[in-house]
Amino acid sequence: MCGIIGYIGHRPALPIVLEGLRNLEYRGYDSAGIAICDGSRIRIAKRAGKVASLAAEVEHLPMPGTLGIGHTRWATHGEPTDTNAHPHSDASSRIVLIHNGIIENYAILKTKLERLGYSFRSETDTEVLAVFIGMLYDELGDFELAVRTALQEVEGTFGLAIISSNDPDCLIAARRGSPIVLGIGDDEYIVASDASAIVAHTRRVVYLRDDEMAILRRNGYVTKTISDEYIAPEIHELDFELEQIQRGNFPHFMLKEIFEQPGTFRDSIRGRLLLAEGNAKLGGLASVADKLRSARRIILTGCGTSWHSALVGEYIIEQLARLPVEVEYASELRYRNPIIYPDDIVIGISQSGETIDTLAALREAKLKGATILGIVNVVGSTIARETDAGVYLHAGPEVGVASTKAFTSQLAVLALLGLYLGRQRDLSASEGQHLARELDAIPTHITKILEAAADIERIAVEYADATNFLYLGRGVNFPVALEGALKLKEISYIHAEGYPAAEMKHGPIALIDANMPVVFIATRDDIYDKIVSNIQEVRARRGRIIAIATEGDDRLPALADHVIYVPPTHPLLTPILAVIPLQLLAYYIAVARGCDVDKPRNLAKSVTVE
């Protein structure tokens, strides 16, 4: 959930590690630290708070050395304090490590170590691992062997970078459930939890798999399992540019990524949308085409924003393909002994491709015999590697913690999947062609919505002091209400709830008064008159109404305090357009409230712990 960076080579490590930490800030964190080995000792500096505070502290400290590690922590065990920040060391300060994940049996290990006379300074599970490795090093006298032995006894998840003052020509990395990427340079190597910390130095990378480790030295490296079986490394080329993880002229990554959506949506459908045939070509699914054709049902699973896209996907696929679809929270699926059949297709949706709950749900489905697929953004991610087949989003790196462009790209892929499955079944060519044309026009429609950003900003400023929001939608736009509410919660810290509009009178209507802003997704469709009735119910109770409406709607201005228009499109595609104003509304409200939009409190970009 946090950031790892490590360097070994011929250049000073400190500036490279600090630069890596800055490039990893977007992942979300509450403290940061570094450790530099100068050949005879390891110097550690760590602080609760931002990387800038850490950088200011070490700027004038003597920290030479060409071996170093750095970390941004998102607290799990212990509050965000200087002491709990990473790196952590063993009792003799010879072994120093940084860690993403959770050591589930740390309490047992800690009790064992305390009985042997070891003491601990922090509240973290990570320090327990460091002390455990140090104890084994004392017994075995070999750095690599001590790490391997410890990791075979550890339960839980980890992404690790480990150094030792007794072996200053070695950096060890390991993973289980938490991503680790190796950057391969010229007589230098970089270890990171995310390729964004590597791309400035090299495009050649190796992705470690679960229970694998890498032993990096200045003259070369090897990869092996933690049980000491050598593995031939597979080198990949990074497919994005450094500029893609820079803000450019935008004040925040989130705003940049909102405005990138015409392009990212186009990239998601490029080469996949067959306008003349009214069909879609998804090359990543070619190997499972027969299983998709004979599928009994589809189960979509994800977390957060990805779960919301799955809900939209349920409407799209069921209507186009007449194929039963269920949507499951990934965090619940694996724990409730789900009924899954061998002819089910289970699709995990994840921007990072590393979401631990989604990965675990897919593994459970695979164990039960289902075909598992992935819809992910990050090439080479764990879900991409472990699934039977899948589709990449091609949205480019998403830096803002609150997902925007990945959501609309997920909807693009789900619409393509619905079209593909529908044409295999009962969807006619003319219906497919109509949907394909509407999909092709979406980037132009998004551009038009973005041109009204200043109007949405003025509305946002008016509501920046609100303490609660209600978001309401019906049918395929109900998940958009959930997503709009989530965006507002994530970055502005305003309490917001999303509901099906018809459910309002079954409880939430009690909340409505003159101080309650209510956002309606009220685009024209078969149930438009129903949602207009819901708007009138709110109006009768003096609620303040913001309506997302279809261009040309002349009824809603008389009922709503504010109307934000989106271009007309196919009813199943309205979520793609309706969510854009909600992203902007959340963004501008958060800015007006002085919130740190790109690094919202308590959140992390990639959730790799349970």
Side-chain angles (χ1 to χ4, degrees):
M1 292 189 67
C2 26
I4 282 176
I5 179 72
Y7 174 81
I8 183 169
H10 51 83
R11 293 186 285 165
L14 180 59
I16 295 172
V17 171
L18 284 175
E19 176 194 41
L21 291 180
R22 293 187 185 101
N23 287 334
L24 292 169
E25 283 189 281
Y26 77 93
R27 294 172 64 92
Y29 70 104
D30 46 49
S31 57
I34 59 172
I36 305 295
C37 180
D38 65 5
S40 59
R41 58 171 291 188
I42 298 174
R43 293 178 170 88
I44 297 175
K46 51 185 183 176
R47 284 288 178 267
K50 299 300 183 184
V51 170
S53 299
L54 174 69
E57 177 185 342
V58 303
E59 183 179 358
H60 304 294
L61 294 179
M63 298 188 78
T66 56
L67 169 64
I69 55 178
H71 191 263
T72 53
R73 176 180 185 251
W74 189 89
T76 55
H77 292 69
E79 295 182 1
T81 64
D82 293 354
T83 302
N84 288 334
H86 297 206
H88 289 286
S89 63
D90 73 326
S92 65
S93 298
R94 291 173 300 170
I95 306 289
V96 178
L97 62 81
I98 52 180
H99 167 226
N100 289 351
I102 293 178
I103 306 301
E104 294 176 357
N105 62 335
Y106 87 98
I108 296 171
L109 293 173
K110 187 175 184 178
T111 299
K112 174 183 175 181
L113 291 165
E114 286 176 331
R115 287 174 178 167
L116 293 172
Y118 292 93
S119 60
F120 298 87
R121 296 178 288 272
S122 76
E123 304 169 84
T124 68
D125 55 333
T126 301
E127 186 188 7
V128 174
L129 178 58
V131 172
F132 184 42
I133 293 173
M135 182 198 75
L136 292 170
Y137 183 77
D138 289 339
E139 293 179 357
L140 301 170
D142 183 283
F143 179 31
E144 179 193 332
L145 180 58
V147 172
R148 281 196 287 105
T149 304
L151 296 186
Q152 291 178 62
E153 294 194 37
V154 162
E155 297 173 9
T157 59
F158 52 79
L160 293 164
I162 314 168
I163 59 177
S164 170
S165 58
N166 283 6
D167 195 347
D169 186 42
C170 183
L171 170 59
I172 295 179
R175 75 155 284 174
R176 177 190 295 157
S178 191
I180 290 291
V181 185
L182 313 178
I184 311 302
D186 295 326
D187 297 323
E188 62 179 1
Y189 302 95
I190 299 175
V191 172
S193 52
D194 188 316
S196 63
I198 292 175
V199 69
H201 303 283
T202 180
R203 305 184 70 82
R204 302 171 67 238
V205 298
V206 173
Y207 297 97
L208 289 188
R209 298 173 183 267
D210 278 356
D211 288 326
E212 290 183 357
M213 60 190 296
I215 297 89
L216 308 165
R217 298 185 181 276
R218 290 173 179 83
N219 62 353
Y221 73 101
V222 295
T223 54
K224 57 173 66 177
T225 68
I226 63 173
S227 57
D228 205 26
E229 298 174 0
Y230 283 90
I231 301 164
E234 182 180 353
I235 297 178
H236 301 262
E237 290 286 328
L238 294 177
D239 63 350
F240 67 92
E241 303 295 333
L242 181 62
E243 291 76 14
Q244 291 180 270
I245 57 170
Q246 296 174 335
R247 287 203 314 263
N249 294 324
F250 289 90
H252 297 96
F253 280 108
M254 183 178 179
L255 187 63
K256 174 177 180 277
E257 288 159 2
I258 290 172
F259 273 81
E260 285 177 342
Q261 288 175 108
T264 55
F265 191 93
R266 175 66 66 195
D267 289 342
S268 295
I269 63 173
R270 190 187 310 277
R272 296 168 167 174
L273 188 61
L274 307 178
L275 289 168
E277 294 91 339
N279 206 339
K281 179 181 179 181
L282 297 169
L285 302 182
S287 63
V288 294
D290 291 342
K291 292 183 177 180
L292 284 166
R293 189 174 289 109
S294 61
R296 173 175 180 162
R297 64 174 174 169
I298 289 177
I299 299 173
L300 300 174
T301 188
C303 303
T305 287
S306 295
W307 184 73
H308 296 159
S309 70
L311 290 174
V312 177
E314 179 181 18
Y315 284 95
I316 292 173
I317 295 170
E318 285 195 342
Q319 185 163 325
L320 296 179
R322 309 308 300 163
L323 180 65
V325 179
E326 295 182 14
V327 177
E328 296 268 5
Y329 276 115
S331 55
E332 295 293 327
L333 179 63
R334 67 180 294 206
Y335 290 113
R336 65 176 192 81
N337 193 21
I339 299 171
I340 295 176
Y341 302 101
D343 51 358
D344 285 339
I345 305 290
V346 180
I347 305 176
I349 306 175
S350 166
Q351 188 282 135
S352 67
E354 302 291 350
T355 310
I356 192 68
D357 289 319
T358 306
L359 182 59
L362 289 170
R363 288 169 173 168
E364 179 69 15
K366 188 170 188 175
L367 188 65
K368 293 180 180 298
T371 299
I372 60 170
L373 309 179
I375 296 176
V376 303
N377 193 35
V378 179
V379 176
S381 58
T382 303
I383 289 176
R385 294 198 307 267
E386 291 199 12
T387 45
D388 298 311
V391 184
Y392 282 119
L393 300 181
H394 297 314
E398 187 177 65
V399 177
V401 169
S403 180
T404 52
K405 65 178 183 178
F407 178 70
T408 50
S409 289
Q410 287 169 352
L411 297 188
V413 169
L414 288 165
L416 291 170
L417 179 61
L419 180 59
Y420 171 76
L421 294 172
R423 294 291 284 120
Q424 287 183 340
R425 290 166 172 79
D426 298 325
L427 189 69
S428 69
S430 62
E431 290 172 317
Q433 289 163 350
H434 173 61
L435 183 68
R437 287 193 299 271
E438 294 293 339
L439 262 174
D440 192 52
I442 289 292
T444 301
H445 294 333
I446 295 176
T447 298
K448 189 172 184 180
I449 297 168
L450 293 172
E451 290 171 353
D455 296 330
I456 297 171
E457 183 177 10
R458 283 189 287 271
I459 296 171
V461 170
E462 185 173 333
Y463 291 91
D465 293 331
T467 55
N468 297 281
F469 263 78
L470 192 60
Y471 286 72
L472 300 173
R474 299 188 75 141
V476 72
N477 287 315
F478 157 55
V480 182
L482 295 175
E483 176 63 12
L486 177 62
K487 284 292 148 296
L488 190 68
K489 282 183 280 196
E490 285 180 318
I491 62 172
S492 76
Y493 318 137
I494 295 174
H495 175 255
E497 296 294 337
Y499 277 92
E503 285 294 303
M504 175 185 61
K505 52 186 172 288
H506 296 286
I509 198 168
L511 299 171
I512 295 172
D513 59 19
N515 297 314
M516 171 66 82
V518 183
V519 180
F520 279 93
I521 298 92
T523 51
R524 286 195 177 274
D525 55 22
D526 292 342
I527 52 176
Y528 171 77
D529 289 335
K530 297 294 184 182
I531 202 158
V532 170
S533 296
N534 298 138
I535 291 173
Q536 290 170 328
E537 290 170 343
V538 171
R539 182 177 173 83
R541 288 155 181 83
R542 302 177 63 196
R544 303 170 69 189
I545 299 167
I546 303 169
I548 309 299
T550 304
E551 286 178 355
D553 188 320
D554 56 4
R555 291 179 64 183
L556 292 186
L559 300 175
D561 296 272
H562 306 277
V563 180
I564 303 170
Y565 290 103
V566 299
T569 188
H570 190 290
L572 288 176
L573 305 181
T574 54
I576 303 166
L577 302 183
V579 77
I580 307 295
L582 303 187
Q583 293 171 350
L584 288 168
L585 185 68
Y587 171 79
Y588 287 123
I589 287 176
V591 170
R593 291 167 66 91
C595 299
D596 190 346
V597 173
D598 285 335
K599 305 181 192 73
R601 68 188 184 202
N602 303 333
L603 295 181
K605 183 62 179 172
S606 179
V607 183
T608 56
V609 297
E610 291 189 69

